[in-house]
Amino acid sequence: MFQTTYKVYYLQRDCVHELNGDLFDRLRARLEDFAKEGKALDATNITDQRLLHALDADRTYIKYYC
């Protein structure tokens, strides 16, 4: 079994703009693909607060803002 080693970085909030959006553009495109494949859920227009809270509490999902 393979164990992946991840690097962890904490970026200063006021430096996020220096990423120039490139990272978020690629992430957004990949998440859109995953949503089409059923691997992600586009919750942009979901208004059901119970569902949103359930997704927030579900550890199998990670919320991304991009």
Side-chain angles (χ1 to χ4, degrees), residues 19-52:
L19 294 172
N20 297 324
D22 295 338
L23 172 73
F24 299 109
D25 289 340
R26 292 191 64 200
L27 176 61
R28 186 179 306 110
R30 196 69 179 120
L31 289 170
E32 288 172 358
D33 290 342
F34 281 160
K36 290 175 186 170
E37 296 170 14
K39 296 179 182 178
L41 174 66
D42 181 353
T44 305
N45 297 310
I46 294 176
T47 58
D48 182 344
Q49 292 300 309
R50 289 179 294 169
L51 176 56
L52 293 173

Side-chain angles (χ1 to χ4, degrees), residues 9-28 65-66:
Y9 296 92
Y10 288 89
L11 178 64
Q12 293 179 9
R13 195 173 293 273
D14 60 348
C15 295
V16 171
H17 72 279
E18 293 180 37
L19 294 172
N20 297 324
D22 295 338
L23 172 73
F24 299 109
D25 289 340
R26 292 191 64 200
L27 176 61
R28 186 179 306 110
Y65 293 94
C66 58

